[in-house]
Each structure stands twice: as C-alpha cells, then as structure tokens.
C-alpha cells in the first residue's frame, strides 16, 4: 500500500530515530559518568539509556550535559514536552548549562522559529573557548535532526568544528550525516570514511558506509557483505542487524521472485536487532514500522495489540491497529482504531495515510453484498464520509492517490458505478499520476454507466457528474490523442448533457471516433460495427440540421453497416 515517496519518507524518519541518537553517544556528558548511557544510545537501547541518564541526573543534578542528552533522546522520539522539561531544568544546572540552550534551540527549529534558534546558538558559540568543538557539533546536529532541517547550515557549522579539531571523529561523522541527508553521497562517504579512520572502533561510521553502499543502485550483495564484516567485528552490535533487515527488504522489492525469501530473512534479522536492543515500547514501535513496510499485517496487528497493553495512550499504537485491522479484513476494528488515533494524536502528527485508511474503512463498511453476490451501498452517509477522508488524504499527499485505482476498480466490478466514479475522481485529481489515463477514463466510464442506469428523474440530478466525466475524458484525450474509446464516451456523455454546446462536442467526438476507427482498416471497422452505426446515426441526426450533405453521407454509411436499421432508413428518406 505504500508508494515510493512515502516509503522514502518512512526511511528518512527511521534515520532520524536511529542515526541521530547514535551520534549523540560520543563525547556527551562526563566521560566517567555517562559511559554506560553513551554505549546504550549507540546500541539503540533507548529505554536503558533513559534509565541510566535519569539515575545520573538524580545522583549528580549539577551536571547540565546529562539533562541535554536526555532531552535529545526525548526530542528524537518526537516527545517535545518531555524534552523541553529536561532542557529547561538543564539550563539552571551549575555545570555545562549552555548545552541545554542548544537543546532549546533545537526545539525552536522544530517549531519553525529559526531566528530564535539562531539567537541561542549564537549565544553559545560566543562563549566558546579556543578548543571547544563539542558545542558546534551539537548545533550542527540540531540542524540535521530538526523536524525542519537545514542541511546547508549544518554543513557550515560542522565545517567550523572540523577546522577547530581536524582529529575529531564525531565531527566528521556528523558532517558525513549532513552531506548524506543533503543527497551529496560523495562527500558523505568521504567524511564517514575519515571518521572511521580516525576512530576504528566507531562502528556507526562503518555502518553508514554500508548504508551508502546499500543505496547505490542495486548493490545489495555488496551491502550485505559489508554489514557482515561489521558483525564479524562485533556480533552484539544491534544496529547492524537492522541494516541487514532493511537491505534484504529492499532486495526483495527489487527481485520479486525472491521477495518472500528475502522478507523472511529481513524479519529474522529485525528480530535479532530487537533481541540486542530492548523490547521497550519505543523499540516495539520501530519493529512495527518494519512490519508495516514488509506488509506483515498479521504480525503488525499482534505487535500493536501487545503495545496497546503496555500503553493505552500512545496514538501511534492505534495507527498500527487501524492499518493492520483493515488489511486483515476487520473494517470496523480499523475504523474504531483510527478514530482513537485521531482523538489522541497531535494534529501535526496526522499523515495522509491515516485519512486514507479512515476513508477505506468507511467505504468497505458502506457496501453490503447479498447471498447472490450483488453489491449495494447500504450506508450512503458512511460512503460519502469515506470519500471526504480520501480527499483529505490527497490534500496532504497527492501521490497517495496511486492507492485508489484498485479500490475504484473493485467497486466498478461490483457494478457500483456511481461509487466507483467518486473514488476515481479522487484518484484522477493527481495530474502527474502514472495511472492518470486509466483513472480519468474509468471516472468517466463509471459515471456514464451510473447515469444510464438511473431513472429519468435521477438523471436530471446527475448532469453535473456528466460534465465532470467530460473533463476527465478531455484529460484522457490529452494523454492519448488516438484513444478511440475516449472519443466514443465523450460523444455519449455530451449527448446526455443536452445543451447546444454539448451537441456540438458530441458531433466532433463522433467524427474523431469514426476517423480513428475507419483509419485502422476493415478489421477494426468490422469489430466496431455496432459503435460505428451509433456514431454515424447520432452524428447524422445533428448534421441533418447543420450540414445535410454530411448527414446524408453518415446515414448512408450507417445503413451500409446495418441495412435493417429502421431509424437510419427513415432519416435518410427525409433528406432525399
């Protein structure tokens, strides 16, 4: 269900959580006191790191760096309120309080207050001593890992750090990360390599070199070999198993014949990663993200239910439940869960896919199928609400419309033509979609069949829908000027609109349809005999008023195809 853009976005979100926290592991707090916390952060054992840091804060409340590190842990997990509490406590600490100004600046960046952040960073930098580098690194990282990142600014600040201390491995690691996120892979690789050379024990730098290899074309075998090299150095380094999992997942996407095999390997590696990190709620959420990527909805539903027992407040758990329940056919459960999510989530945390699943669940619940397989809309209000949610999804991320074509086709196959047209209309709202031609055609196609199946009174209420169908067919013709069916249905739609302008459009469309079909030769003409008779007859009726010679020609050609057509005979007789 995930399009490429969203998948990339999800991968980037994971980078924030995993890589960002790890970079904080080096050089933070008093080396003597925070060693265990630093190791836990780099190993992505975040629950353990939080416990350790809270203990350090309790035992040495005057050390400001501990507050800073804990605040950053919360911030990277999108818990801004908790992060702010620790940063604000840290600025009052006796030692190293200024680090928490960097944390508060990071919060400013997240809240789109770049000038406020800059003022805090400038104040910290103004008081730096000649050899102070650590603060610059953290300022650079704030620009990298902000929810509103500025990679160019991060590179500028981190280059200052490198200039001050050309032997600082963390500075080069952070600079590599800034370049990596700024899509400059060459400079990213160069700086990761320098960090690794300066500190061969820095597995994070080596891991990122493998990540670049993984993302270079289809270099999956090389990436696996690279990561296995890290395993050989330290088999208990958890993050490398996560990267192996993601490599096999992407490899399976690239080689569909091996997708099931590689997905199984990916899940095995991810479970290994979980075993070596922790089974805290945060860790389980990372696992849930991966289950979502691999499409293991049974596993996702089970994991979400486990997390729900641990925390009934966290909104993301209800998101997982909603997605999984829908994919597992539990539409009411999906709708209940997504409604819980909407009630608990901060508005800025709601993404397009949340509205998508809300809409899909409502559509599914609105359709009833009898024992003979006939489908009907049993709850029009629910269906309309679902369409409204799909529109909200498209407003947030237009590329999500790619997921709607199959839903529209299912409704069309169930002969729920009006409902199918409503879904296709949302799908067709993306002019750059790879499905634009078929989505627009089926929107019009479904609208036409919905119209002709209605009573005369109901048809009067559907003219606006026919006009939308005409617009959709114009898009099809723009994309495929020789699409004969588009001209045929454009003519049919305009015939039913029944205005002077629409009759002109009808005749032009029939003319083009006739031109395309007859231009293909006798075989296509024979195949399209019935439709050609329709085109000649209806266009002929229009031209009988405006161009009698052309009308006579069309009626004659229609009669040649169907000599028994009484209407054509009568109309031709009138013209003689």
């Amino acid at each position: 269900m995930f399009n490429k853009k969203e998948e990339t976005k999800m991968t980037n979100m994971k980078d924030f959580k995993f890589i960002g926290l790890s970079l904080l592991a080096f050089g933070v707090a008093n080396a003597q006191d925070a060693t265990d916390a630093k190791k836990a952060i780099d190993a992505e054992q975040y629950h353990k790191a939080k416990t350790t840091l809270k203990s350090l804060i309790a035992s040495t409340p005057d050390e400001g760096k501990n507050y800073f590190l804990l605040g950053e842990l919360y911030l990277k997990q999108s818990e801004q309120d908790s992060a702010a509490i620790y940063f604000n406590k840290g600025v009052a600490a006796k030692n190293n309080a200024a680090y928490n100004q960097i944390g508060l600046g990071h919060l400013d960046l997240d809240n789109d207050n770049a000038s406020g952040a800059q003022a805090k960073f400038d104040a910290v930098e103004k008081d730096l001593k000649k050899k102070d580098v650590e603060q610059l690194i953290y300022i650079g990282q704030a620009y990298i890992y902000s929810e509103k990142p500025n990679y160019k600014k991060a590179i500028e600040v981190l280059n200052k750090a490198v200039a001050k201390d050309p032997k600082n491995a963390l500075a080069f690691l952070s600079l590599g990360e800034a370049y990596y996120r700024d899509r400059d892979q060459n400079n990213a690789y160069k700086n990761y390599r320098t960090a690794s050379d300066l500190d061969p024990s820095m597995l994070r730098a080596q891991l990122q070199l493998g990540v670049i290899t993984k993302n270079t074309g289809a270099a999956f075998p090389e990436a696996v070999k690279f990561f296995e090299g890290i395993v050989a150095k330290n088999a208990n380094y958890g993050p490398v198993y996560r990267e192996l999992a993601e490599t096999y997942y992407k490899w399976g996407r690239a080689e569909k014949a091996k997708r099931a095999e590689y997905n199984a390997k990916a899940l095995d590696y991810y479970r290994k990663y979980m075993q070596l990190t922790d089974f805290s709620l945060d860790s389980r959420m990372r696992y849930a993200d991966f289950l979502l990527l691999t499409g293991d909805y049974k596993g996702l539903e089970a994991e979400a239910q486990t997390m729900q027992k641990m925390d009934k407040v966290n909104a993301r758990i209800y998101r997982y439940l909603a997605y999984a329940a829908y994919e597992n056919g539990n539409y009411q459960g999906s709708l209940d869960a997504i409604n819980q999510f909407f009630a608990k989530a901060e508005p800025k945390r709601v993404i397009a896919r949340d509205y998508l699943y809300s809409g899909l669940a409502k559509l599914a619940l609105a359709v009833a199928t009898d024992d003979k397989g006939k489908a009907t809309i049993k709850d029009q209000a629910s269906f309309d609400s679902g369409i409204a949610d799909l529109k909200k999804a498209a407003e947030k991320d237009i590329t999500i419309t790619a997921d709607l074509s199959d839903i529209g086709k299912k409704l069309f196959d169930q002969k729920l033509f009006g409902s199918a047209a409503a879904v296709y209309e949302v799908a067709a709202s993306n002019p750059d979609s790879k499905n634009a031609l078929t989505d627009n055609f089926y929107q019009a196609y479904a609208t036409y069949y919905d119209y002709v199946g209605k009573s005369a009174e109901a048809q009067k209420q559907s003219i606006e829908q026919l006009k939308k169908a005409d617009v959709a067919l114009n898009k099809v013709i723009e994309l495929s000027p020789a699409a004969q069916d588009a001209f045929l249905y454009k003519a049919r739609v305009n015939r039913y609109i029944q205005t002077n302008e629409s009759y002109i459009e009808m005749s032009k469309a029939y003319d083009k349809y006739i031109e395309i079909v007859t231009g293909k030769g006798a075989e296509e003409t024979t195949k399209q005999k019935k439709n050609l008779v329709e085109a000649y007859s209806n266009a002929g009726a229009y031209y009988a008023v405006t161009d009698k010679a052309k009308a006579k020609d069309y009626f004659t050609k229609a009669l040649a195809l169907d000599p028994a057509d009484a209407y054509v005979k009568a109309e031709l007789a009138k013209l003689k």
Side-chain angles (χ1 to χ4, degrees):
M1 292 288 293
F2 281 85
N3 59 41
K4 190 171 183 180
K5 179 180 177 182
E6 285 185 315
E7 190 173 301
T8 301
K9 186 176 181 181
M10 178 170 285
T11 301
N12 288 341
M13 286 172 65
K14 287 189 292 180
D15 285 343
F16 279 155
K17 294 174 184 174
F18 302 140
I19 300 169
L21 292 170
S22 304
L23 297 186
L24 291 169
F26 302 93
V28 185
N30 184 293
Q32 180 179 335
D33 295 334
T35 300
D36 289 343
K38 290 188 288 183
K39 288 180 179 178
I41 293 171
D42 187 48
E44 296 175 13
Q45 297 170 336
Y46 303 140
H47 179 72
K48 179 179 178 181
K50 284 180 182 178
T51 301
T52 302
L53 287 166
K54 287 177 181 179
S55 177
L56 285 172
I57 288 170
S59 62
T60 54
D62 291 339
E63 178 50 64
K65 285 186 183 180
N66 293 332
Y67 296 94
F68 169 72
L69 179 53
L70 185 55
E72 283 293 304
L73 267 169
Y74 277 114
L75 197 55
K76 296 301 183 182
Q77 294 172 329
S78 301
E79 296 183 48
Q80 285 195 348
D81 291 345
S82 296
I85 288 170
Y86 283 101
F87 292 145
N88 282 314
K89 287 182 178 179
V91 293
K94 290 182 180 179
N95 303 320
N96 296 309
Y99 283 86
N100 292 280
Q101 291 292 346
I102 299 172
L104 291 170
H106 190 159
L107 274 171
D108 282 338
L109 291 176
D110 285 354
N111 293 318
D112 206 20
N113 181 11
S115 60
Q118 188 66 58
K120 291 180 177 66
F121 296 156
D122 287 346
V124 172
E125 192 171 350
K126 179 173 65 69
D127 292 334
L128 293 183
K129 296 176 182 178
K130 185 176 181 181
K131 293 186 178 181
D132 286 344
V133 175
E134 207 172 49
Q135 296 91 329
L136 290 173
I137 295 172
Y138 291 137
I139 291 170
Q141 289 179 5
Y143 281 115
I144 295 172
Y145 303 117
S146 168
E147 292 183 1
K148 294 180 172 58
N150 186 335
Y151 304 128
K152 295 289 193 295
K153 191 70 177 176
I155 290 167
E156 175 189 325
V157 173
L158 289 166
N159 273 321
K160 290 182 185 177
V162 167
K164 270 195 167 189
D165 185 359
K167 301 295 184 182
N168 191 303
L170 178 59
F172 282 101
L173 179 64
S174 302
L175 188 55
E177 186 63 15
Y179 278 118
Y180 175 74
R181 291 172 183 272
D182 202 36
R183 301 181 183 279
D184 185 344
Q185 304 302 295
N186 289 335
N187 271 317
Y189 195 92
K190 174 184 173 183
N191 283 281
Y192 287 141
R193 172 63 71 190
T194 301
S196 181
D197 290 344
L198 288 170
D199 184 358
S201 69
M202 187 182 277
L203 294 182
R204 179 64 55 174
Q206 296 171 39
L207 191 73
Q208 288 306 107
L209 290 170
V211 169
I212 291 178
T213 302
K214 175 184 68 178
N215 294 338
T216 303
F220 303 118
E222 292 84 352
V224 167
K225 185 176 180 180
F226 198 103
F227 293 135
E228 287 175 343
I230 296 175
V231 171
K233 294 176 182 177
N234 185 351
N236 293 317
Y237 188 60
V240 71
Y241 295 101
R242 187 198 66 250
E243 292 300 339
L244 278 164
E246 293 184 4
T247 302
Y248 274 106
Y249 162 70
K250 290 186 175 182
W251 199 351
R253 296 273 294 180
E255 295 187 21
K256 293 183 179 179
K258 293 188 175 182
R259 181 173 295 182
E261 175 190 345
Y262 287 167
N263 269 1
K265 281 190 175 184
L267 289 168
D268 283 343
Y269 276 123
Y270 214 99
R271 282 188 281 269
K272 177 72 171 175
Y273 164 70
M274 292 282 287
Q275 291 166 4
L276 288 170
T277 53
D278 55 44
F279 282 89
S280 65
L281 186 64
D282 291 327
S283 180
R284 287 181 179 277
M285 284 187 176
R286 296 197 296 274
Y287 184 45
D289 284 337
F290 195 73
L291 291 170
L292 191 57
L293 272 179
T294 57
D296 185 354
Y297 295 107
K298 294 290 185 185
L300 177 61
E301 191 164 16
E303 190 64 37
Q305 288 168 350
T306 299
M307 289 190 288
Q308 190 180 24
K309 294 174 184 176
M310 298 170 66
D311 187 340
K312 295 183 181 295
V313 176
N314 194 296
R316 277 175 60 192
I317 296 170
Y318 292 96
R319 172 186 281 160
Y320 297 133
L321 283 170
Y323 290 12
Y326 177 85
E327 297 294 344
N328 293 330
N330 180 4
Y331 305 126
Q332 187 60 57
S334 177
L335 184 58
D336 291 344
I338 203 67
N339 284 336
Q340 288 268 39
F341 170 80
F342 287 139
K344 296 175 183 297
E346 294 178 64
K348 69 178 182 179
R349 303 295 176 195
V350 178
I351 61 174
R353 194 152 297 276
D354 301 327
Y355 286 116
L356 174 70
Y357 274 98
S358 177
L360 294 181
K362 289 175 182 177
L363 297 191
L365 289 168
V367 177
T369 306
D370 64 20
D371 54 4
K372 294 182 180 179
K374 182 179 179 180
T376 56
I377 298 296
K378 66 178 181 179
D379 187 343
Q380 190 63 48
S382 175
F383 187 89
D384 292 343
S385 179
I387 292 295
D389 282 343
L390 297 185
K391 289 178 179 178
K392 289 178 183 177
E395 287 170 4
K396 275 192 166 289
D397 179 4
I398 194 65
T399 63
I400 208 164
T401 56
D403 292 329
L404 300 180
S405 301
D406 289 343
I407 304 300
K409 185 63 166 60
K410 181 178 178 180
L411 291 167
F412 186 91
D413 291 342
Q414 291 175 305
K415 301 189 185 306
L416 297 172
F417 299 120
S419 303
V423 173
Y424 277 119
E425 184 179 344
V426 183
S429 64
N430 180 6
D432 299 319
S433 169
K434 65 179 181 179
N435 301 324
L437 192 149
T438 54
D439 287 343
N440 278 281
F441 180 76
Y442 270 97
Q443 178 193 340
Y445 195 38
T447 299
Y448 172 79
Y449 279 107
D450 178 56
Y451 180 87
V452 298
K454 289 179 174 179
S455 66
E457 186 60 34
Q459 285 180 340
K460 293 178 183 178
Q461 310 302 317
S462 301
I463 298 301
E464 290 304 313
Q465 293 305 115
L466 289 178
K467 291 179 180 178
K468 288 182 180 180
D470 185 51
V471 172
L473 288 165
N474 287 340
K475 182 64 177 178
V476 175
I477 291 166
E478 176 190 327
L479 294 170
S480 181
Q484 63 193 46
D485 285 351
F487 288 103
L488 177 63
Y489 279 93
K490 180 175 174 63
R492 290 173 173 175
V493 164
N494 276 281
R495 180 184 174 207
Y496 283 118
I497 292 175
Q498 298 181 2
T499 65
N500 289 335
E501 293 79 8
S502 74
Y503 286 134
I504 294 171
E505 289 299 309
M506 175 198 75
S507 63
K508 290 179 180 178
Y510 274 135
D511 286 346
K512 191 65 179 178
Y513 171 76
I514 292 166
E515 176 191 325
I516 293 170
V517 171
T518 56
K520 292 180 178 179
E523 183 178 348
E524 186 66 18
T525 299
T526 300
K527 190 186 300 182
Q528 295 291 323
K529 174 182 172 181
K530 183 178 178 181
N531 292 333
L532 277 172
V533 170
E534 172 197 325
Y536 284 130
S537 300
N538 289 330
Y542 172 77
Y543 288 122
V545 178
T546 62
D547 187 341
K548 292 189 183 328
K550 189 167 185 176
K552 185 177 179 180
D553 177 51
Y554 272 14
F555 284 138
T556 300
K557 289 176 178 176
L559 203 58
L561 290 170
D562 185 2
D565 192 312
Y567 168 78
V568 173
K569 286 180 181 179
E571 293 301 308
L572 192 56
K574 291 177 185 177
L575 294 173
K576 288 184 177 177

